[in-house]
Short mmCIF file of all heavy atoms in Angstrom, two decimals:
data_model
loop_
_atom_site.label_atom_id
_atom_site.label_comp_id
_atom_site.label_asym_id
_atom_site.label_seq_id
_atom_site.Cartn_x
_atom_site.Cartn_y
_atom_site.Cartn_z
N THR E 52 0.87 -1.30 0.02
CA THR E 52 0.05 0.00 -0.01
C THR E 52 0.87 1.28 -0.02
O THR E 52 2.08 1.21 0.43
CB THR E 52 -0.93 0.05 1.20
OG1 THR E 52 -0.10 0.07 2.36
CG2 THR E 52 -1.80 -1.32 1.22
N PHE E 53 0.24 2.39 -0.42
CA PHE E 53 0.98 3.66 -0.48
C PHE E 53 0.08 4.77 0.19
O PHE E 53 -0.14 5.82 -0.23
CB PHE E 53 1.18 4.04 -1.87
CG PHE E 53 2.14 3.12 -2.60
CD1 PHE E 53 1.65 1.98 -3.15
CD2 PHE E 53 3.47 3.47 -2.68
CE1 PHE E 53 2.50 1.06 -3.84
CE2 PHE E 53 4.35 2.55 -3.39
CZ PHE E 53 3.82 1.31 -3.94
N ASP E 54 -0.43 4.39 1.36
CA ASP E 54 -1.46 5.20 2.02
C ASP E 54 -0.84 6.33 2.99
O ASP E 54 -1.44 7.43 3.05
CB ASP E 54 -2.46 4.36 2.90
CG ASP E 54 -3.35 3.48 2.03
OD1 ASP E 54 -3.52 3.77 0.86
OD2 ASP E 54 -3.65 2.35 2.37
N LYS E 55 0.25 5.96 3.59
CA LYS E 55 0.93 6.92 4.53
C LYS E 55 1.66 7.91 3.72
O LYS E 55 2.34 7.72 2.71
CB LYS E 55 1.88 6.10 5.42
CG LYS E 55 1.04 5.06 6.28
CD LYS E 55 2.20 4.34 7.26
CE LYS E 55 1.44 3.36 8.14
NZ LYS E 55 2.39 2.56 8.98
N PRO E 56 1.69 9.19 4.34
CA PRO E 56 2.41 10.18 3.56
C PRO E 56 3.92 9.97 3.68
O PRO E 56 4.42 9.40 4.69
CB PRO E 56 2.05 11.40 4.37
CG PRO E 56 1.62 10.88 5.76
CD PRO E 56 1.03 9.56 5.43
N PRO E 57 4.63 10.49 2.69
CA PRO E 57 6.08 10.18 2.55
C PRO E 57 6.89 10.97 3.72
O PRO E 57 6.42 12.01 4.20
CB PRO E 57 6.55 10.77 1.34
CG PRO E 57 5.43 11.64 0.96
CD PRO E 57 4.21 11.19 1.57
N ASN E 58 7.94 10.49 4.34
CA ASN E 58 8.63 10.99 5.34
C ASN E 58 10.06 11.14 4.83
O ASN E 58 10.58 10.20 4.08
CB ASN E 58 8.63 10.26 6.64
CG ASN E 58 7.27 10.19 7.34
OD1 ASN E 58 6.46 11.27 7.20
ND2 ASN E 58 6.82 9.03 7.74
N PRO E 59 10.78 12.07 5.17
CA PRO E 59 12.25 12.22 4.83
C PRO E 59 13.06 11.06 5.44
O PRO E 59 12.67 10.69 6.57
CB PRO E 59 12.69 13.59 5.29
CG PRO E 59 11.64 13.92 6.46
CD PRO E 59 10.43 13.32 6.02
N ARG E 60 13.89 10.60 4.79
CA ARG E 60 14.71 9.52 5.31
C ARG E 60 16.14 9.65 5.01
O ARG E 60 16.47 10.27 3.94
CB ARG E 60 14.18 8.17 4.96
CG ARG E 60 14.25 8.01 3.48
CD ARG E 60 13.61 6.69 3.06
NE ARG E 60 12.14 6.65 3.47
CZ ARG E 60 11.24 7.23 2.74
NH1 ARG E 60 11.58 7.96 1.61
NH2 ARG E 60 10.01 7.08 3.09
N ASN E 61 17.00 8.96 5.64
CA ASN E 61 18.51 8.98 5.38
C ASN E 61 18.81 7.90 4.37
O ASN E 61 18.25 6.82 4.60
CB ASN E 61 19.23 8.88 6.58
CG ASN E 61 20.71 8.86 6.44
OD1 ASN E 61 21.37 8.03 5.90
ND2 ASN E 61 21.36 10.06 6.85
N ARG E 62 19.59 8.10 3.31
CA ARG E 62 19.87 7.09 2.46
C ARG E 62 20.48 5.93 2.97
O ARG E 62 20.30 4.78 2.61
CB ARG E 62 20.80 7.71 1.18
CG ARG E 62 21.21 6.63 0.30
CD ARG E 62 21.94 7.32 -0.92
NE ARG E 62 21.00 8.31 -1.67
CZ ARG E 62 21.45 9.00 -2.75
NH1 ARG E 62 22.73 8.88 -3.10
NH2 ARG E 62 20.69 9.77 -3.20
N GLU E 63 21.38 6.14 4.04
CA GLU E 63 22.08 5.01 4.71
C GLU E 63 20.97 4.13 5.38
O GLU E 63 21.07 2.84 5.40
CB GLU E 63 23.07 5.50 5.68
CG GLU E 63 24.32 6.19 5.05
CD GLU E 63 25.30 6.60 6.09
OE1 GLU E 63 25.06 6.29 7.30
OE2 GLU E 63 26.29 7.10 5.73
N ILE E 64 20.01 4.74 5.90
CA ILE E 64 18.83 3.94 6.63
C ILE E 64 18.06 3.10 5.60
O ILE E 64 17.80 1.99 5.85
CB ILE E 64 18.00 4.87 7.41
CG1 ILE E 64 18.78 5.58 8.55
CG2 ILE E 64 16.92 4.10 7.94
CD1 ILE E 64 17.93 6.51 9.36
N VAL E 65 17.85 3.77 4.42
CA VAL E 65 17.10 3.15 3.45
C VAL E 65 17.88 1.89 2.88
O VAL E 65 17.34 0.84 2.66
CB VAL E 65 16.89 3.96 2.14
CG1 VAL E 65 16.27 3.34 0.94
CG2 VAL E 65 16.02 5.18 2.62
N ASN E 66 19.24 2.01 2.76
CA ASN E 66 20.02 0.89 2.21
C ASN E 66 20.51 -0.09 3.28
O ASN E 66 21.14 -0.98 3.01
CB ASN E 66 21.18 1.51 1.53
CG ASN E 66 20.88 2.19 0.28
OD1 ASN E 66 19.78 1.91 -0.35
ND2 ASN E 66 21.75 3.13 -0.11
N ARG E 67 20.10 0.11 4.55
CA ARG E 67 20.48 -0.77 5.66
C ARG E 67 19.87 -2.15 5.43
O ARG E 67 18.66 -2.22 5.14
CB ARG E 67 20.14 -0.19 7.01
CG ARG E 67 20.51 -1.15 8.14
CD ARG E 67 20.03 -0.39 9.42
NE ARG E 67 20.69 0.85 9.54
CZ ARG E 67 20.15 1.78 10.36
NH1 ARG E 67 19.18 1.53 11.19
NH2 ARG E 67 20.70 3.03 10.53
N ARG E 68 20.63 -3.21 5.54
CA ARG E 68 20.07 -4.52 5.46
C ARG E 68 19.20 -4.86 6.73
O ARG E 68 19.48 -4.54 7.78
CB ARG E 68 21.27 -5.54 5.41
CG ARG E 68 20.82 -6.94 5.12
CD ARG E 68 22.13 -7.77 5.02
NE ARG E 68 21.65 -9.14 4.51
CZ ARG E 68 22.33 -9.77 3.65
NH1 ARG E 68 23.47 -9.20 3.10
NH2 ARG E 68 22.07 -10.95 3.43
N ALA E 69 17.98 -5.41 6.46
CA ALA E 69 17.06 -5.62 7.45
C ALA E 69 16.27 -6.97 7.12
O ALA E 69 16.24 -7.42 6.06
CB ALA E 69 16.08 -4.47 7.68
N SER E 70 15.69 -7.38 8.18
CA SER E 70 14.99 -8.68 8.08
C SER E 70 13.65 -8.40 7.55
O SER E 70 13.00 -7.37 7.87
CB SER E 70 14.90 -9.36 9.41
OG SER E 70 14.01 -10.56 9.25
N THR E 71 13.05 -9.33 6.71
CA THR E 71 11.65 -9.11 6.18
C THR E 71 10.86 -10.14 6.71
O THR E 71 9.93 -10.60 6.08
CB THR E 71 11.80 -9.14 4.58
OG1 THR E 71 12.35 -10.44 4.26
CG2 THR E 71 12.49 -8.08 4.08
N LYS E 72 11.19 -10.81 7.82
CA LYS E 72 10.36 -11.83 8.32
C LYS E 72 8.98 -11.33 8.77
O LYS E 72 8.86 -10.53 9.65
CB LYS E 72 11.05 -12.54 9.61
CG LYS E 72 10.23 -13.68 10.15
CD LYS E 72 10.88 -14.20 11.37
CE LYS E 72 10.07 -15.37 12.11
NZ LYS E 72 10.85 -15.82 13.32
N PRO E 73 7.84 -11.90 8.26
CA PRO E 73 6.60 -11.36 8.63
C PRO E 73 6.20 -11.65 10.01
O PRO E 73 6.61 -12.69 10.62
CB PRO E 73 5.69 -12.03 7.59
CG PRO E 73 6.32 -13.35 7.34
CD PRO E 73 7.72 -12.94 7.31
N THR E 74 5.39 -10.75 10.63
CA THR E 74 4.91 -11.02 12.04
C THR E 74 3.62 -11.66 11.97
O THR E 74 3.15 -12.00 13.07
CB THR E 74 5.02 -9.74 12.77
OG1 THR E 74 4.00 -8.63 12.04
CG2 THR E 74 6.36 -9.00 12.93
N ASP E 75 2.89 -11.57 10.84
CA ASP E 75 1.58 -12.24 10.84
C ASP E 75 1.58 -13.69 10.31
O ASP E 75 1.94 -13.95 9.22
CB ASP E 75 0.67 -11.42 9.81
CG ASP E 75 -0.70 -12.04 9.82
OD1 ASP E 75 -1.09 -12.91 10.66
OD2 ASP E 75 -1.55 -11.58 8.87
#
């Protein structure tokens, strides 16, 4: 979805490796 308004973010945060394990 694209419902939430965009927020400024740091490029390093965007490129940070993270887990995509679902919680549901």
Side-chain angles (χ1 to χ4, degrees):
T52 62
F53 297 82
D54 299 330
K55 297 180 180 179
N58 295 320
R60 61 184 61 80
N61 185 287
R62 177 172 299 177
E63 292 180 3
I64 297 177
V65 173
N66 292 334
R67 183 180 301 164
R68 190 174 186 137
S70 172
T71 59
K72 180 180 179 181
T74 57
D75 180 10

